[in-house]
Amino acid sequence: ALQRIHITPHRQRYFSNAIPLPRCACAEGLGAVERGRDCSSLHTGCLTLRNCADGRLPRWSAFNLFGVLEISAVKTTLLAAALGLSASAAFGAAETYRLDPGHSQILFSYNHLGYSTSYGLFSGFEGEIAYDAADPAGSSVTVSFPVRTMLTGWQARFDHFMSPDFFDAAEDEMVSFTSTGIEVTGEKSAKITGDLTLNGVTKPVVLDAVLTQAGDHPMEGKPWLGFTATTKVLRSDYGLGMFAPFVADEVEVNISVEAGKVDG
């Protein structure tokens, strides 16, 4: 139970990498406490143990930019509430963005017999991005759409793709991608690994992704994201290898999406 809380502004401290703090218990995501770690590299919060000779955690001092909050006999899971913050606000968390179907496209291309490059497009699809600006590696993305929403520019080609030679697709057959991990490679770039389900087959793929822009949308009036990504897949991996290698097995995929923050 929370027995006592009081703020002591006169003991306010500001800290950074240049000001080493005492060895302390550092909260990483609330409830995960690591004793004895030097917290001089932390920017947003550190918990210094007091009166803990018996190994328990009866009293904490939380140092932040607003002063020192002393809490007696409080569980670590209540710390964020005592600070007036949720765990996500205190330590950063992903925010949900929904894809803008009017400005999200997947363009695929392949070599046709060495004579030309043929193109197809998916657009108007749905998906969500859980975006953590403070820790992009903790973000995720999910996308799905019916395969029969494919645009080829020529009805005969579409009909052939939907035939038993290729997809033999039912009206409700879906294409989906679910990320399983993100490796940040630069200030605005990352490799997104995920499971691509196509033609009833699921295999891992890696997207080379770039954050093109993040900020308030001038017309929507809320946070907005833009991304591009590229990858290559072998259609034969998904049971779609008809006419390979004369028609290229390798398919290049170019993705451009926008996503708006979900209200609330």
Side-chain angles (χ1 to χ4, degrees), residues 78-160:
L78 293 178
L79 177 63
L83 289 171
L85 300 171
S86 67
S88 61
F91 294 94
E95 297 179 309
T96 302
Y97 286 74
R98 185 166 294 129
L99 293 187
D100 174 3
H103 298 94
S104 298
Q105 299 87 30
I106 300 173
L107 179 69
F108 65 88
S109 62
Y110 58 92
N111 183 278
H112 182 255
L113 303 175
Y115 295 111
S116 66
T117 299
S118 294
Y119 296 89
L121 178 73
F122 291 98
S123 187
F125 48 83
E126 297 180 350
E128 286 190 351
I129 298 171
Y131 179 63
D132 189 338
D135 179 21
S139 303
S140 63
V141 58
T142 58
V143 177
S144 64
F145 48 87
V147 69
R148 296 186 72 90
T149 60
M150 180 191 301
L151 302 172
T152 66
W154 186 38
Q155 185 64 40
R157 181 181 295 118
F158 173 83
D159 292 342
H160 192 196

Side-chain angles (χ1 to χ4, degrees), residues 202-262:
T202 300
K203 287 186 175 292
V205 299
V206 178
L207 307 180
D208 290 307
V210 174
L211 173 65
T212 55
Q213 185 157 287
D216 287 342
H217 194 290
M219 290 174 280
E220 297 291 340
K222 63 181 180 179
W224 214 259
L225 301 173
F227 290 93
T228 61
T230 60
T231 193
K232 295 179 180 180
V233 298
L234 297 179
R235 56 191 180 90
S236 59
D237 284 347
Y238 297 89
L240 300 169
M242 181 69 75
F243 307 125
F246 307 106
V247 176
D249 192 13
E250 184 177 81
V251 178
E252 295 188 6
V253 182
N254 289 270
I255 302 166
S256 179
V257 299
E258 293 184 22
K261 186 178 177 182
V262 175

